Amino acid sequence: MGNERLIGEIVESKRDLFIQVSDRIWNYAETRFEEYESAELLCATLESEGFAVERGAGGISTAFVASYGSGKPIVAILGEYDALSGLSQKGGVTYKEPVEAGGKGHGCGHNLLGTGALAAAVALRSYMEENRIPGTVRYYGCPAEEGGGGKAFMARAGLFDDVDFALTWHPYDTNEVFSSHILAACQVYFHFKGRSSHAALSPHLGRSALDAVELMNVGANYLREHMVPGSRLHYAITNAGGVSPNVVQPEAEVLYMLRTLEAADLRDLYKRVCDIARGAALMTETQLDIGFDAGSSNLILNQTLESVMYENLQKLGIPAYDEQEKQFAREIRATLTEAERNNYRYPEMKGKDLPDTIPTYKYKAGIHNASTDLGDVSWIVPTAQYRGATRSMGTPAHSWQEVAHGTTSIAHKGMLHAGKVLALTALEVMQKPHIIEQAKAELLETLQGQTYQCPIPPEVKPSPARKM
């Protein structure tokens, strides 16, 4: 009996447990650094499966590390479980209807991500125990991937320093080994304080913080032409100063997200944006407070690990779907725009409602214009990522349609399959030390003498998103 069959049987024997955990986390829908129930559920489940759990890892209340075994090699299976604001949505339906107006929802499928990683860790532990495989498997409970930089804080605390290799996955609409460049990013609050006054009787006595925000945004717009190619600037006005136009607004705030292809360029862009903010404060005679919120590094790819993962994905194949699942996918796709329905990366996926092939693996397949704190782990330890189909083709991430998929059998199948891919890949690498050495040598060669620098300043602490 091949290892792929043995691993598959272990995962399937506990499928009801994993589905229950995933659905409960979907229901909790907790956002960055507030994932208390989700983290505790995962901790308790891991303890019941024979893992020793360190809660509050790295001084982060909703981070944890669960371990089984001893000695080398040490594999890190990375799980996430944070939700998004404003994406409350009923599960298993093909129309938009929030559970709670303005509430939270798993619009990126992290209930599945965290539980699929759980399935991998449990399956690997069971196989190691039964077959007396040496080494250590760790499940890393990583909070606040969505805009919080949880893994960057964990990396800053040294939690990954002794790991030999790391594996994770992410819900998507295909089944593939992910090998694209991901951008470095940071989020920064710019809070301006002025002086209120009557906007008609004595406007000359006021100093408008809202003017400062608007001038900063204008300056940032002009900066866009002169950024390093591939860079991005996004912003949201989080405090416009009030709703009274006859008052000179004494306080206003804007939140910026900066992205660059390389971490070194991000540091330079951050300084330039801060200078623009200071200029806006000078022009308006307002005070400026800069609040660094979170950040993440660009992703360092590892062809050695990715190739092993691709071979194991081919051994396992991909899930098949019944007619009810296909009908659900068709109805969801009917709610998408034409552009969304045609947003496919591979020509063979055109017109499909659900994926039915494994795209050919290609190392460094391009640039994925998003960001993730997985990048911070990849600078420290060889890392590979699988993307598993948990939604209909073309379904946008961070959408109500993504949340609606989260409790369906389509999502559950993708989640369980991801657990098998991660566990089988980890098992092969653990049993072949030369792969680990090759992966580590590749990481050093890729970095070319660069060392990891946490993108988050040491004085910044993990914190929930500000309440708007």
Side-chain angles (χ1 to χ4, degrees):
M1 184 183 294
N3 284 339
E4 62 270 21
R5 184 175 174 184
L6 291 171
I7 290 294
E9 288 180 353
I10 296 171
V11 171
E12 291 297 329
S13 71
K14 296 178 181 289
R15 65 178 289 117
D16 291 344
L17 169 65
F18 299 136
I19 289 171
Q20 181 186 53
V21 169
S22 176
D23 287 355
R24 286 178 65 182
I25 294 173
W26 181 93
N27 190 59
Y28 293 148
E30 299 165 301
T31 50
R32 53 177 265 189
F33 296 120
E34 296 180 315
E35 314 95 329
Y36 298 106
E37 291 186 285
S38 302
E40 182 54 35
L41 174 60
L42 288 165
C43 286
T45 304
L46 284 156
E47 285 175 330
S48 71
E49 292 291 336
F51 286 78
V53 178
E54 176 195 353
R55 292 168 171 81
I60 305 168
S61 58
T62 55
F64 64 89
V65 179
S67 302
Y68 172 82
S70 61
K72 293 284 191 173
I74 300 172
V75 54
I77 307 293
L78 310 180
E80 301 166 13
Y81 34 88
D82 57 323
L84 287 156
S85 299
L87 281 178
S88 176
Q89 166 64 32
K90 289 184 177 180
V93 299
T94 57
Y95 50 88
K96 185 177 182 180
E97 184 173 342
V99 176
E100 175 188 353
K104 304 167 185 177
H106 272 284
C108 214
H110 291 181
N111 60 303
L112 304 164
L113 197 168
T115 311
L118 169 70
V122 169
L124 188 57
R125 190 274 303 164
S126 297
Y127 188 97
M128 290 171 64
E129 184 177 52
E130 184 173 337
N131 295 276
R132 298 183 180 181
I133 304 296
T136 304
V137 54
R138 291 182 187 159
Y139 179 106
Y140 280 78
C142 305
E145 191 276 337
E146 297 290 357
K151 295 185 195 66
F153 284 107
M154 296 172 77
R156 193 175 73 181
L159 297 183
F160 303 103
D161 289 353
D162 64 344
V163 172
D164 289 297
F165 67 101
L167 302 175
T168 192
W169 78 289
H170 202 285
Y172 206 62
D173 62 359
T174 55
N175 300 286
E176 63 179 320
V177 176
F178 182 78
S179 189
S180 295
H181 194 94
I182 285 183
L183 310 183
C186 67
Q187 285 192 168
V188 190
Y189 286 96
F190 297 93
H191 189 91
F192 296 90
K193 291 184 179 180
R195 188 163 61 247
S196 63
S197 185
H198 195 290
L201 292 176
S202 53
H204 58 292
L205 300 179
R207 297 295 181 267
S208 174
L210 182 57
D211 285 355
V213 165
E214 292 192 282
L215 285 167
M216 180 185 174
N217 292 340
V218 170
N221 284 338
Y222 280 101
L223 174 64
R224 284 183 169 85
E225 182 183 356
H226 307 286
M227 299 188 302
V228 172
S231 303
R232 300 283 191 275
L233 283 182
H234 323 291
Y235 68 89
I237 297 176
T238 56
N239 178 5
V243 296
S244 300
N246 61 340
V247 175
V248 175
Q249 310 296 356
E251 290 195 39
E253 181 182 78
V254 61
L255 173 62
Y256 266 76
M257 187 171 193
L258 291 61
R259 303 186 203 252
T260 59
L261 288 172
E262 306 294 337
D265 292 329
L266 183 64
R267 292 187 283 272
D268 179 66
L269 183 60
Y270 169 66
K271 292 176 183 177
R272 296 176 74 185
V273 173
C274 287
D275 284 343
I276 288 172
R278 294 186 185 101
L282 283 171
M283 285 189 285
T284 54
E285 294 185 341
T286 55
Q287 295 178 324
L288 170 65
D289 177 51
I290 299 174
F292 198 103
D293 182 48
S296 59
S297 301
N298 56 292
L299 184 67
I300 305 299
L301 302 173
N302 194 281
Q303 187 176 14
T304 301
L305 288 183
E306 290 171 2
S307 298
V308 175
M309 181 176 281
Y310 180 62
E311 290 172 2
N312 284 288
L313 173 59
Q314 289 181 305
K315 291 177 185 176
L316 287 164
I318 58 176
Y321 303 102
D322 60 30
E323 187 53 42
Q324 186 176 0
E325 291 163 340
K326 294 175 182 178
Q327 181 61 30
F328 182 88
R330 283 192 290 270
E331 291 181 18
I332 282 287
R333 280 175 53 79
T335 70
L336 306 180
T337 66
E338 183 178 356
E340 289 169 337
R341 287 193 294 273
N342 291 320
N343 185 27
Y344 50 86
R345 293 183 66 204
Y346 304 100
E348 62 267 31
M349 300 297 183
K350 184 177 181 180
K352 301 286 180 66
D353 295 316
L354 290 165
D356 57 3
T357 58
I358 299 173
T360 301
Y361 166 69
K362 181 181 179 182
Y363 177 57
K364 291 186 177 179
I367 297 173
H368 187 67
N369 286 311
S371 304
T372 174
D373 55 13
L374 180 63
D376 294 272
V377 180
S378 73
W379 277 76
I380 300 167
V381 56
T383 303
Q385 180 177 196
Y386 168 66
R387 292 209 293 196
T390 59
R391 61 187 192 236
S392 312
M393 292 296 301
T395 300
H398 298 197
S399 67
W400 71 261
Q401 292 96 334
E402 168 90 355
V403 186
H405 276 89
T407 59
T408 65
S409 57
I410 294 172
H412 295 152
K413 283 183 177 180
M415 172 188 76
L416 296 172
H417 198 71
K420 298 170 189 177
V421 172
L422 296 187
L424 192 61
T425 302
L427 179 60
E428 179 174 351
V429 176
M430 292 181 78
Q431 294 183 300
K432 296 179 179 178
H434 70 277
I435 296 178
I436 296 175
E437 295 308 312
Q438 184 179 339
K440 288 182 176 180
E442 180 186 338
L443 176 59
L444 291 175
E445 182 179 356
T446 301
L447 293 178
Q448 296 182 332
Q450 299 178 86
T451 57
Y452 174 67
Q453 296 184 46
C454 182
I456 304 174
E459 67 274 11
V460 177
K461 307 301 180 186
S463 63
R466 297 191 190 183
K467 306 302 181 185
M468 305 306 176

